[in-house]
Amino acid sequence: MHKFIENATKNLLSNSVEKNDYKKAKKEWYFTDEVIDNSENFEIDETRPSCELCKHEDLRWQFIIKNRLNNNQLMVGSTCIKQFDIGLIDEYGHIKYGEERDSNIEKAINKKRTEAEFNNVLEALRNLWKKDKGTEWEKDIERCGKEWKEEKSLQPNHLAFIVYRFNENNINYKKLILKINMRKEKYRDQIIRMEKWKYLLIRTYVNSKYYEYYDKHFQNK
């Protein structure tokens, strides 16, 4: 830990207007609410970036902190923001510290994670469309892609179709956060009317409170 503190002190001072007093230099910096997800374009054999403040390696999440006096910026880990007490400036120009700041950090991470999950599904649908382009499935995949963009979920029949086409094209979808739209009764009724093999394709995405109802229905089919 001593090494990380030493690195952070050195790097913060070298990028600040104040070059000697660390406590004064620290006040020049603020968190911008900008988050980078280093797993979005991360290949297995690559090394993720290090914190530009303490030099801690292999960061999933990086946060951009900026200097209000010289406009320098550093990409750092959330631990550094908290440990070295970097303030967060909200949209109204108010500076937040402590629990309020930490809560905003978690919200920023969750927002970025949700965006990544949505985009990963969208990219998989694009890949599926390319593989099925020119086939009878092309237009149906386009409609599912549009539905995902608008609803961020797929109605049961469409999800069963997409999972089926993923399997047929050997597209790995197991890590995707696929979401089923069961908000309307007509969508829930789609499951009752579908064939059992289709239900089994989407069962893992169905809200658990419906398992008993649907499982009992399909036991008799």
Side-chain angles (χ1 to χ4, degrees), residues 167-178:
N167 285 327
E168 289 294 295
N169 284 284
N170 295 315
I171 294 176
N172 187 355
Y173 63 92
K174 298 298 184 181
K175 293 184 178 181
L176 296 176
I177 309 299
L178 294 167

Side-chain angles (χ1 to χ4, degrees), residues 23-76:
K23 290 184 178 180
K24 289 182 180 179
K26 186 174 64 174
K27 293 179 180 179
E28 298 177 17
W29 295 85
Y30 63 93
F31 168 44
T32 66
D33 213 19
E34 295 179 64
V35 183
I36 298 171
D37 181 359
N38 289 313
S39 290
E40 286 184 336
N41 301 305
F42 175 64
E43 300 297 335
I44 292 176
D45 59 346
E46 291 180 348
T47 300
R48 289 186 291 202
S50 300
C51 174
E52 293 182 348
L53 198 57
C54 74
K55 298 304 179 183
H56 185 85
E57 299 176 340
D58 196 31
L59 292 182
R60 162 74 190 271
W61 304 102
Q62 279 185 306
F63 301 80
I64 298 177
I65 62 173
K66 290 185 178 179
N67 186 296
R68 59 186 176 81
L69 299 182
N70 61 17
N71 292 320
N72 284 345
Q73 69 177 38
L74 295 168
M75 291 186 288
V76 306

Side-chain angles (χ1 to χ4, degrees), residues 24-197:
K24 289 182 180 179
K26 186 174 64 174
K27 293 179 180 179
E28 298 177 17
W29 295 85
Y30 63 93
F31 168 44
T32 66
D33 213 19
E34 295 179 64
V35 183
I36 298 171
D37 181 359
N38 289 313
S39 290
E40 286 184 336
N41 301 305
F42 175 64
E43 300 297 335
I44 292 176
D45 59 346
E46 291 180 348
T47 300
R48 289 186 291 202
S50 300
C51 174
E52 293 182 348
L53 198 57
C54 74
K55 298 304 179 183
H56 185 85
E57 299 176 340
D58 196 31
L59 292 182
R60 162 74 190 271
W61 304 102
Q62 279 185 306
F63 301 80
I64 298 177
I65 62 173
K66 290 185 178 179
N67 186 296
R68 59 186 176 81
L69 299 182
N70 61 17
N71 292 320
N72 284 345
Q73 69 177 38
L74 295 168
M75 291 186 288
V76 306
S78 61
T79 300
C80 272
I81 291 179
K82 297 173 183 178
Q83 181 171 339
F84 302 111
D85 205 23
I86 305 297
L88 179 147
I89 294 185
D90 65 17
E91 59 185 312
Y92 304 106
H94 301 140
I95 301 179
K96 300 177 180 179
Y97 292 96
E99 291 184 4
E100 191 174 13
R101 176 205 54 212
D102 296 350
S103 175
N104 276 265
I105 289 175
E106 292 305 314
K107 287 179 182 178
I109 290 176
N110 289 334
K111 180 181 178 182
K112 195 69 177 179
R113 182 182 284 116
T114 299
E115 290 174 353
E117 291 170 352
F118 170 80
N119 289 327
N120 286 341
V121 174
L122 198 59
E123 186 60 30
L125 290 173
R126 290 193 186 102
N127 188 25
L128 178 61
W129 179 82
K130 290 177 183 177
K131 288 180 177 291
D132 274 344
K133 188 176 181 180
T135 71
E136 60 184 301
W137 314 114
E138 180 181 350
K139 294 298 181 183
D140 292 326
I141 296 169
E142 286 180 5
R143 281 191 285 271
C144 288
K146 183 178 180 181
E147 182 179 343
W148 181 259
K149 286 181 181 179
E150 294 176 351
E151 303 292 336
K152 296 182 173 60
S153 61
L154 295 172
Q155 55 185 280
N157 280 341
H158 294 169
L159 182 59
F161 164 71
I162 289 298
V163 171
Y164 169 72
R165 295 311 303 159
F166 279 154
N167 285 327
E168 289 294 295
N169 284 284
N170 295 315
I171 294 176
N172 187 355
Y173 63 92
K174 298 298 184 181
K175 293 184 178 181
L176 296 176
I177 309 299
L178 294 167
K179 296 182 179 179
I180 188 169
N181 187 344
M182 298 181 65
R183 294 188 292 273
K184 297 181 180 180
E185 185 177 354
K186 66 177 182 178
Y187 293 157
R188 297 192 291 273
D189 287 346
Q190 284 183 8
I191 300 177
I192 291 293
R193 295 193 298 271
M194 67 175 46
E195 297 172 75
K196 184 176 181 178
W197 68 270

